[in-house]
Amino acid sequence: MSFLRISTFALLFATFLIGCQNDASPSMNQLDLLGYGIPVTILAPDSAEVKTMDMGFMKDVTVQKGEDYSIPILASAANTTSVEQVKALQLSEVQKNPFFSQVITDLPDGFIYENRIDSTHINYGFRYIHIQGGQEYVFQTGMIGDFSQESVESMYEAVKQ
């Protein structure tokens, strides 16, 4: 009987190890964006590509890897120190989209929302607001691409300060 227990345990343990190795989620590492003009650190997949665009009044730093990870970070001078005010403005902008359906998760410094194109095509997005040193940072999902709720939740968690 004890041989059977040991064999069962070994089989379950091997199955667990194989399952861990087949995990499709990308490995996330800390990515310091100070070198790109934004003094924050986020979690990003290995070998994520970082692109910057300076528009004078605003800086856009986009961190991207594959189809499930695309985060533009918009940095500009803060008009207020109230995260709540910036969040309300961002929510108002998102709600103007004709495909906006609902807010999935509402947090003090951001939100995750759903866009319903039709009954079979649902896309998710997020906004996360961070104010630091007179600068306003708005993190959001990329403008191009379809993102699942899981990938958006993962990106939101990756940018939280």
Side-chain angles (χ1 to χ4, degrees):
M1 289 273 186
S2 67
F3 176 75
L4 183 59
R5 285 185 192 156
I6 293 171
S7 296
T8 303
F9 174 77
L11 180 62
L12 289 173
F13 185 71
T15 303
F16 170 77
L17 287 178
I18 291 169
C20 288
Q21 291 174 351
N22 290 335
D23 185 9
S25 63
S27 174
M28 302 284 265
N29 296 311
Q30 288 196 349
L31 176 62
D32 185 353
L33 298 174
L34 184 59
Y36 302 97
I38 297 183
V40 297
T41 299
I42 65 171
L43 293 176
D46 290 335
S47 333
E49 184 179 354
V50 181
K51 295 179 183 177
T52 63
M53 186 180 343
D54 193 341
M55 297 170 265
F57 65 95
M58 179 183 295
K59 180 173 273 206
D60 175 353
V61 174
T62 299
V63 182
Q64 187 169 352
K65 174 73 181 221
E67 294 181 12
D68 291 333
Y69 189 97
S70 179
I71 302 175
I73 304 142
L74 306 175
S76 61
N79 293 325
T80 179
T81 58
S82 170
V83 170
E84 295 81 20
Q85 286 181 353
V86 177
K87 177 186 161 193
L89 180 63
Q90 289 294 316
L91 181 57
S92 173
E93 289 297 315
V94 165
Q95 290 173 328
K96 288 178 185 175
N97 182 330
F99 300 114
F100 173 80
S101 172
Q102 65 178 323
V103 171
I104 301 293
T105 307
D106 188 7
L107 299 163
D109 47 11
F111 55 93
I112 296 172
Y113 61 93
E114 175 186 277
N115 285 333
R116 187 175 292 267
I117 308 335
D118 59 35
S119 63
T120 61
H121 192 116
I122 300 171
N123 192 26
Y124 296 88
F126 78 90
R127 295 289 192 280
Y128 173 79
I129 292 84
H130 178 67
I131 298 176
Q132 173 182 321
Q135 292 287 303
E136 172 183 300
Y137 304 97
V138 178
F139 300 76
Q140 61 188 39
T141 42
M143 297 295 176
I144 298 173
D146 288 330
F147 300 101
S148 69
Q149 185 174 350
E150 290 171 339
S151 64
V152 168
E153 288 170 350
S154 176
M155 287 186 280
Y156 189 94
E157 288 299 316
V159 301
K160 283 180 22 179
Q161 300 299 299

